Amino acid sequence: MSSRSGSTRGYETSGQSRHHSASPPVPEPSDTENEGLIFYHMDLYGSKERFDIFPEEPSGRGDRSLGDTRRESALSTEKVQHPQEVGYDLEKEVAELAKMYGLDEDREKEFELLGGHLEKVESRWPPARTEKAGLQGSIYNISKSSSSVKDLSQSTKQQGLPDEASQGENQSKARADDEAESSIWSRGGLSSGGMSDEWNSQAVSEEEEEEEEEEEAADVFCSTCKIPIRAFDKLFGEHKDHEVAQLPSAVESEKEEIHKNMCKLEEQIAQMENVASHLEEIFITVEENFGRQEQNFEVHYNDAVQVLAQKYEEQLEALGEEKRQKLEALYEQLVSCGKHLDTCKDLTDETQELFLENDKAEFMKAAVTMVDRLEEFLKQEVNLELSTLPDFEERVIDVSEVEQLMNSINAIPAPCAPVINPQAPNAATGTSLRVCWGLFSDDTVECYQLCYQPVSNERHSDGQAEHTLKVKETYCTITDLLPNTQYEFWVSALNASGISPPSERAVYVTAPSPPIIKNKKIRSCENAALVCWESRDINPVDSYTVELSKLTDEENDDIITESIVGIPNCEVLIHLQPTQKYHICVRAQNLGGSSERSEPVLIHTTGTCFYLNEDTAHPLLAILDDGFTISCDELENPECDLPVYDNSFTRCIAILGSLIPFPGKHYWEVEVEEDTEYRIGVAFENTPRHGHLGANNSSWCMRHIITPSRHKYEFLHSGMTPDVRITVPPRRIGILLDYENCRLSFFNADIAQHLHTFNSHFQHYVHPCFALETPGILRIHTGITTPLWTALP
């Protein structure tokens, strides 16, 4: 920037210029170089050597006169020429200059806000410049830089500069210094006028470089103009009232927007590809339809030609037949006429010969005969009309059929055969099927005819009924079907021209019926359960799925907590958590899909649960309605003639419980009556049915016998018992089966008394067993948590 009025005016202009831009303005040459000074800018951010141009402030500065100021100015010029030879307080001098040239606090705050965003530009002043010009540029840059001035002002306060009362005197002395320095610098400026143009061009290039650097240093994004800008431009530039955002967030936002647009573009590409594929299919369909129409036209044309040829042959044949008949009739008439003429000639000749007869007697004889012949001949009628006319009947070829054929050329052809789809997964229920098909041509179709029938099997081998439905769509749901049954389907397309050939037949299968869980065969313990079920379908299914729902206080039994899939048989062993309640249901699977859920069963994992096996019960043993109470009313003839099962006990009035197939400990209790004799314990599956429990090596039991003197208790295995005396007859007996420790223990549950323990290695899983030797009842309690007192010492 140039100044025409001296140094003081130059400093005021410098102070005003700080409101326009953060970058130093390009110096312009003065209109009259001899009348003004040229100031060059130096960046306070350039280097630390900027302080070397200021002399150290001597003591007693506040009392100096105007002459002293001028002398100090001249001395400062010399010091600038030899900065390394004289030492002075640079920070103090810079702080004082900042105060003298009126940098206010508000402006410092504004530049402080932008201080983190403004780039520090190193000084690029040419080395050919004089120290005076460099000094002037440094002073100008001090007035332009905010953050450095603030730091210098703080340093000035620390060094104890005069307070506000002495600022006026300092400013007057500063003006005197300016006049002295301006006279010196003006001479330096005159002497360096030849370098002004060169320096201006260099400054312009430097300004361009700085602008490029500023453009690269953009750190915010103007949402209004959609361009990146500097934070300084937001405060003082044309973007002051625009909405801006941080550059990283704007970049992320733009990336997200571009990603969304890319997704939309990919969707459009996919749509266009689908359209292009569809257009290709239509192109091929047009070619196929053209070929089909051309073939149809040719067929109709050939049919029409064939009909015309047939009509021509028929008419020609009829015309020939008429000609033959006419000729035959004329010929017969001609032959008859010839015969008649011959007869006439013969009679004429004979008559003439008769007139030549001289003998009258002979003449009379011959004349009488001739007269008779002539009369007889003349009596014959002679047909003198033509038997047929020479004209032929006018014959017209009937072309109505040809016209019909020709008119049908423009009619739509009969459709092609549809293609029926294979069965889709989960497209079936136990009583319904959803069948789909397609028509891979552009034929006109008014409706479809769907036919189906069950696949032949042994159960439906006689007279399979065929069902027919007409539908408008290319799909149909057929209901009222049999579960887990195969059906074959085929479909035809119809329009005004006819019906298409049927499609190939496809076999569909309905989903199975829900299985039936066998409640009386479910066994469980604290950490597992064995669930059994049966299928209601005759046809086999592919697999089964067991679904578990853990019941909580909220009773969220509809939430499936676990599913076990691919079960090939009708039973499964499930591992569960102790002291929980579960709802368990089963689904059957086949190619058609999954059946509905079976009726759920409730399983408690508080203890071992089992059921009584009715197939093993003696005929005299009855199981009450609760399923866990057995009774016997008479024992006179245990080997009675009542019907028994193959697996029933025949001698001992006993019954087995279901197998306990879980390792670990199992506990149940039996409630007995004091006057009832019984046997309770465990036995293998193959224990003899014609013997007594405990009398063999496949059963272990506790026996109660009533003698005249006392209640006797035996613990039998292979017919042997230890000598055990029980003083308190138990009314509730606890039985603990421990597979892992090979123990079977009996307890008086009422008083927590241990009675006896069998130590035996169970080679197989065992059944609980119960027997009555006198009339009475036994009540069995399962699902009981194992008491702590059952642990042996």
Side-chain angles (χ1 to χ4, degrees):
M1 178 180 294
S2 62
S3 175
R4 301 177 183 175
S5 303
S7 62
T8 303
R9 177 62 178 168
Y11 287 125
E12 292 173 356
T13 306
S14 173
Q16 295 170 358
S17 66
R18 67 174 178 262
H19 296 279
H20 300 296
S21 175
S23 61
V26 178
E28 300 177 356
S30 175
D31 296 339
T32 308
E33 294 182 357
N34 294 332
E35 296 179 0
L37 298 175
I38 299 175
F39 298 125
Y40 298 96
H41 309 285
M42 293 183 65
D43 193 350
L44 286 175
Y45 296 97
S47 63
K48 294 182 179 180
E49 295 179 357
R50 63 186 181 277
F51 296 110
D52 295 342
I53 61 175
F54 300 106
E56 182 180 3
E57 181 183 23
S59 60
R61 183 181 179 92
D63 300 332
R64 64 186 180 180
S65 62
L66 180 60
D68 296 336
T69 303
R70 292 178 178 177
R71 285 192 299 272
E72 289 175 1
S73 177
L75 291 174
S76 65
T77 303
E78 296 178 359
K79 291 178 181 179
V80 168
Q81 297 175 357
H82 305 285
Q84 302 298 332
E85 298 177 0
V86 181
Y88 54 91
D89 192 347
L90 297 178
E91 296 181 355
K92 185 175 181 181
E93 183 68 21
V94 170
E96 183 177 356
L97 289 174
K99 283 185 173 292
M100 284 195 300
Y101 297 113
L103 293 176
D104 54 284
E105 294 291 336
D106 294 336
R107 193 59 184 166
E108 292 176 5
K109 291 180 180 178
E110 293 181 29
F111 279 92
E112 183 180 359
L113 292 174
L114 298 175
H117 302 291
L118 298 177
E119 291 188 353
K120 296 183 178 181
V121 183
E122 294 185 357
S123 176
R124 300 190 183 93
W125 310 114
R129 265 308 185 204
T130 61
E131 289 82 351
K132 298 175 182 179
L135 177 60
Q136 182 65 18
S138 299
I139 296 173
Y140 181 79
N141 278 323
I142 291 172
S143 67
K144 287 288 292 178
S145 302
S146 62
S147 59
S148 297
V149 168
K150 184 176 180 180
D151 295 339
L152 293 174
S153 62
Q154 293 175 354
S155 176
T156 303
K157 292 178 182 179
Q158 294 175 358
Q159 293 179 6
L161 289 179
D163 56 6
E164 295 179 356
S166 61
Q167 285 184 359
E169 182 181 356
N170 292 337
Q171 291 178 357
S172 61
K173 292 180 181 180
R175 285 194 294 271
D177 293 339
D178 293 342
E179 292 175 359
E181 292 173 357
S182 63
S183 61
I184 298 173
W185 292 341
S186 64
R187 290 191 296 272
L190 290 175
S191 63
S192 59
M195 301 177 60
S196 177
D197 294 338
E198 178 184 357
W199 171 245
N200 288 338
S201 62
Q202 183 177 357
V204 171
S205 63
E206 291 175 355
E207 183 182 7
E208 294 176 353
E209 295 177 358
E210 291 173 356
E211 290 178 354
E212 293 178 356
E213 293 177 357
E214 290 171 359
E215 291 178 358
E216 295 176 356
D219 49 7
V220 294
F221 181 77
C222 179
S223 302
T224 305
C225 300
K226 302 296 183 183
I227 58 172
I229 62 172
R230 300 172 302 154
F232 184 85
D233 295 334
K234 166 62 181 171
L235 295 177
F236 303 104
E238 60 181 353
H239 306 281
K240 183 176 182 180
D241 298 329
H242 295 178
E243 183 180 355
V244 299
Q246 292 295 326
L247 193 58
S249 62
V251 169
E252 293 298 327
S253 177
E254 288 299 321
K255 286 183 178 179
E256 184 177 357
E257 188 67 24
I258 291 174
H259 178 69
K260 292 180 180 178
N261 292 333
M262 287 297 295
C263 293
K264 294 180 180 179
L265 183 61
E266 290 177 356
E267 292 178 359
Q268 290 186 2
I269 291 173
Q271 293 177 357
M272 293 305 297
E273 288 178 349
N274 292 336
V275 171
S277 177
H278 182 64
L279 290 175
E280 291 178 358
E281 293 177 359
I282 296 298
F283 183 88
I284 296 173
T285 304
V286 169
E287 292 289 345
E288 292 177 352
N289 291 341
F290 170 76
R292 188 162 54 251
Q293 290 291 346
E294 183 181 15
Q295 183 180 3
N296 183 44
F297 180 79
E298 184 178 357
V299 169
H300 281 74
Y301 173 77
N302 292 334
D303 292 343
V305 172
Q306 185 177 357
V307 169
L308 286 174
Q310 184 179 357
K311 294 292 184 182
Y312 172 76
E313 293 293 338
E314 291 176 356
Q315 294 295 333
L316 186 61
E317 184 178 356
L319 185 62
E321 182 65 21
E322 185 179 1
K323 174 187 174 182
R324 184 185 63 79
Q325 292 177 359
K326 286 180 177 296
L327 293 177
E328 287 180 354
L330 291 173
Y331 178 76
E332 289 178 357
Q333 189 175 9
L334 181 61
V335 170
S336 177
C337 184
K339 288 180 179 180
H340 192 76
L341 287 175
D342 291 341
T343 302
C344 288
K345 287 179 179 181
D346 291 340
L347 289 175
T348 301
D349 291 342
E350 289 179 2
T351 302
Q352 289 177 357
E353 290 178 358
L354 180 62
F355 280 104
L356 296 177
E357 180 66 43
N358 294 326
D359 187 359
K360 292 183 179 181
E362 293 295 330
F363 174 81
M364 287 303 295
K365 291 180 181 179
V368 173
T369 305
M370 180 60 67
V371 170
D372 293 338
R373 290 178 60 190
L374 288 173
E375 289 178 356
E376 184 179 359
F377 178 76
L378 292 174
K379 288 180 180 179
Q380 294 180 1
E381 294 181 359
V382 178
N383 188 8
L384 300 178
E385 295 180 359
L386 293 176
S387 60
T388 183
L389 297 176
D391 298 331
F392 284 83
E393 181 183 353
E394 292 185 2
R395 297 181 180 276
V396 179
I397 298 178
D398 184 12
V399 295
S400 60
E401 186 177 357
V402 177
E403 290 178 354
Q404 183 179 358
L405 288 173
M406 297 303 294
N407 292 333
S408 65
I409 294 178
N410 297 326
I412 58 175
C416 297
V419 177
I420 194 165
N421 299 338
Q423 183 172 0
N426 301 320
T429 66
T431 58
S432 66
L433 284 170
R434 181 181 174 87
V435 184
C436 301
W437 60 89
L439 187 68
F440 296 95
S441 66
D442 201 22
D443 295 337
T444 301
V445 176
E446 296 180 359
C447 64
Y448 295 93
Q449 179 175 289
L450 178 65
C451 303
Y452 69 95
Q453 66 181 11
V455 177
S456 299
N457 51 41
E458 295 180 0
R459 189 162 61 99
H460 298 92
S461 58
D462 298 333
Q464 296 296 325
E466 180 178 315
H467 305 273
T468 302
L469 298 174
K470 286 189 177 182
V471 294
K472 294 287 187 180
E473 297 81 9
T474 58
Y475 58 88
C476 182
T477 300
I478 299 93
T479 57
D480 298 330
L481 302 177
L482 297 175
N484 198 30
T485 303
Q486 292 182 341
Y487 291 84
E488 56 181 0
F489 293 86
W490 64 97
V491 63
S492 301
L494 292 86
N495 63 12
S497 298
I499 185 171
S500 73
S503 66
E504 293 185 359
R505 299 197 176 195
V507 176
Y508 282 52
V509 59
T510 53
S513 302
I516 300 175
I517 298 179
K518 299 178 180 179
N519 293 331
K520 293 186 177 181
K521 290 190 176 182
I522 294 178
R523 287 149 282 176
S524 64
C525 63
E526 293 183 354
N527 53 17
L530 181 65
V531 183
C532 302
W533 61 87
E534 63 181 1
S535 174
R536 296 192 297 181
D537 300 319
I538 295 179
N539 297 326
V541 300
D542 295 340
S543 63
Y544 296 93
T545 298
V546 175
E547 297 178 349
L548 286 75
S549 302
K550 183 187 294 185
L551 302 184
T552 61
D553 295 337
E554 293 79 9
E555 296 185 356
N556 53 345
D557 55 341
D558 291 333
I559 300 177
I560 303 300
T561 57
E562 184 179 355
S563 295
I564 305 173
V565 300
I567 303 172
N569 302 320
C570 290
E571 66 176 24
V572 64
L573 180 63
I574 309 171
H575 295 282
L576 304 174
Q577 297 178 358
T579 66
Q580 299 292 333
K581 292 187 296 182
Y582 293 89
H583 263 165
I584 296 179
C585 56
V586 183
R587 295 178 186 265
Q589 306 279 343
N590 68 1
L591 181 62
S594 174
S595 71
E596 298 294 330
R597 293 182 185 177
S598 66
E599 290 295 328
V601 295
L602 181 63
I603 292 180
H604 297 265
T605 57
T606 53
T608 301
C609 292
F610 57 85
Y611 294 88
L612 299 179
N613 190 350
E614 297 180 5
D615 296 341
T616 63
H618 189 277
L620 297 178
L621 194 66
I623 303 176
L624 303 187
D625 294 338
D626 62 358
F628 293 96
T629 302
I630 59 175
S631 66
C632 180
D633 296 333
E634 56 180 349
L635 296 177
E636 295 180 359
N637 186 14
E639 297 182 2
C640 60
D641 297 331
L642 294 175
V644 296
Y645 296 102
D646 295 338
N647 199 27
S648 300
F649 285 93
T650 58
R651 185 175 182 183
C652 178
I653 305 177
I655 189 173
L656 295 180
S658 54
L659 186 71
I660 302 179
F662 315 111
K665 295 181 179 180
H666 305 279
Y667 180 81
W668 63 95
E669 294 179 352
V670 181
E671 187 177 350
V672 299
E673 295 179 349
E674 188 174 354
D675 58 348
T676 301
E677 295 182 358
Y678 54 84
R679 297 179 187 229
I680 57 175
V682 298
F684 287 139
E685 172 70 28
N686 60 353
T687 189
R689 301 296 191 263
H690 57 279
H692 290 278
L693 296 177
N696 47 61
N697 60 359
S698 60
S699 59
W700 299 257
C701 70
M702 172 183 174
R703 183 186 182 190
H704 173 232
I705 306 173
I706 301 176
T707 63
S709 60
R710 64 184 179 93
H711 291 275
K712 183 178 180 181
Y713 293 91
E714 298 177 342
F715 296 92
L716 299 171
H717 176 62
S718 299
M720 300 178 65
T721 179
D723 186 11
V724 178
R725 292 183 177 270
I726 298 175
T727 58
V728 180
R731 300 295 302 273
R732 192 179 183 98
I733 302 171
I735 302 174
L736 177 63
L737 172 65
D738 189 350
Y739 280 121
E740 295 179 354
N741 296 317
C742 304
R743 293 176 179 175
L744 178 65
S745 302
F746 296 87
F747 301 88
N748 186 342
D750 292 330
I751 60 176
Q753 179 187 18
H754 173 252
L755 301 179
H756 179 71
T757 296
F758 288 102
N759 293 299
S760 177
H761 178 67
F762 301 105
Q763 299 178 352
H764 309 285
Y765 290 121
V766 296
H767 296 256
C769 58
F770 312 91
L772 287 170
E773 296 186 347
T774 59
I777 62 173
L778 296 177
R779 293 184 177 88
I780 303 160
H781 301 275
T782 62
I784 303 173
T785 303
T786 304
L788 298 177
W789 43 262
T790 58
L792 295 177

